Amino acid sequence: MLSVAEARQKIFDLLTPVTTELIPITMAGQRITAQNIYANLTHPPAHTSSMDGYAIRYKDKDHYNHFEIVGSIPAGSIFSKTLQAGQCVRVFTGSFLSHECNCVIMQENAELSEDKKTVQFHEENSQSGQFIRPQGMDFKLHDLLIEKGELLTPRHIALAAGGNNPWIEVSVKPRVGILTSGNELAMPGAPLSAGHIINSNLPMIASLISAAGGEPVMLTPLQDKEEDLIALLKQQNRLDLLLTLGGASVGTYDLVKTALEKAGGHIEFWRIAMRPGKPLFAGNIGSVPVIGLPGNPVSAFVCSVLFVLPALSFITGQKSGLEPLIEQGVITVDWPANNTSFLLHIRSQLDISPQNGHLFTPFKNQDSSLMNVLKKSNALFLHYPHHAPIKAGSACSLIDLTRLHL
Ligand SMILES: Nc1nc2c(c(=O)[nH]1)N[C@H]1C(S)=C(S)[C@@H](COP(=O)(O)OP(=O)(O)OC[C@H]3O[C@@H](n4cnc5c(N)ncnc54)[C@H](O)[C@@H]3O)O[C@H]1N2
Ligand code: MOO
């Protein structure tokens, strides 16, 4: 059976990066940059005041009791004169300053004369350059602001926009088809007959795809009927990735793999040495890569973390963010040996505090159908194959799901 790393590499080999598109900066939030973004101007464009007050020549500070006010620079305007000895100019936060203005005194430390033509400063310790943002302090023309492959968070959007980039080249959102099947499944809210359970995987995986920057394409849920599966699979040629859910195992009604082959598709591998998620398969139908997720909700979720999110990163060229990061945490309870050849992903509650660091507690019931345990789990503890029992207080590997916003 393949290891997780081998299976992930085989999935990458099936994938093709999406194309790119040019979109307005106002629409570019949460997208992945397809090109480096550069500064089209310098920011700030000039020396600017960071306070409301008066700008002076610092060298005049100790030589004058009263400074003559020779002008005012409201935001959006330019001061065209050059300050002479003993002169000052009224400034506001963001005012552009000429080069000889190298000290700003806050208005709280200034006393205007009655005729408002002069001002006296009561500030002992003013420094040269105080309350002045030098030209280009943030970035300079042609500076690299954001690299290709970065996720555009609101922080990135501020920088790209501030660098005067009205249009951004981004990766097209990958269209990810989601195909659920099973006679027992009814969508939330649909009439329920005896023997039915709710199709929770479809909403779960759709929300996971959206959260990861993809466009979920929810295909009509099917019954366990091979001909219907074949017909639907044959139509899927406009997707960047197809996820099937359920029917991946060995039961009489686990038809998805054979349906894929009969529809003209190909299975690259089936089964991996992990739990939950052992029956995962991957392949393709025409140009569309297919990942076959197991039907148990927890298995589908864990496989999505380990395989679907990295696949989306690969397709969009995202450099970091969706890869599950393996960290260390300290287990709070004794945990039995892993006597299997499977890498176990144990659902756990992780608590991070400055006093205790990363402490985690696995849930006792690790059944892969339990959505309630999954909801409470913010971490997956990696229990390696053939590992001895673990004592409380030992350091272990884990994946912090909150880092993936899951
Ligand atoms: N004899 C064996 N039986 C099973 C094996 C095995 O190796 N030998 N593997 C087990 C493992 S591990 C898993 S995981 C499951 C996966 O099976 P399938 O991928 O074939 O999934 P189904 O049989 O279709 O469903 C499993 C389980 O999940 C429920 N389910 C399915 N789809 C949904 C959905 N969209 N929303 C909510 N719940 C869903 C389904 O009702 C079943 O209860 O196989 C084991 N069996
Ligand atoms: O691997 Mo299954 O996914 O253990 O429930």
Side-chain angles (χ1 to χ4, degrees), residues 180-181 184-185 197-202 245-250 254 271 275 277-279 293-297 299 368:
T180 52
S181 57
E184 75 280 27
L185 301 176
I197 63 160
I198 298 294
N199 185 342
S200 52
N201 283 346
L202 184 50
L245 285 124
S249 191
V250 292
D254 292 337
R271 291 194 282 217
R275 272 206 175 120
K278 181 184 86 169
L293 301 169
N296 277 314
S299 317
S368 60

Side-chain angles (χ1 to χ4, degrees), residues 94-158:
S95 294
F96 287 13
L97 306 176
S98 44
H99 278 268
E100 75 284 2
C101 298
N102 57 355
C103 179
V104 168
I105 316 278
M106 290 205 302
Q107 68 188 47
E108 291 88 327
N109 297 332
E111 190 183 324
L112 266 181
S113 61
E114 259 181 35
D115 62 5
K116 299 199 164 62
K117 288 188 176 157
T118 62
V119 62
Q120 205 180 350
F121 299 124
H122 305 290
E123 191 173 287
E124 297 291 298
N125 300 319
S126 49
Q127 308 282 324
S128 172
Q130 76 173 16
F131 303 130
I132 295 177
R133 297 174 176 145
Q135 179 184 45
M137 180 170 87
D138 199 0
F139 50 81
K140 299 189 174 57
L141 177 69
H142 305 317
D143 275 358
L144 174 62
L145 300 181
I146 298 170
E147 285 184 36
K148 177 180 171 177
E150 286 196 51
L151 172 74
L152 292 169
T153 69
R155 294 177 284 114
H156 293 73
I157 295 290

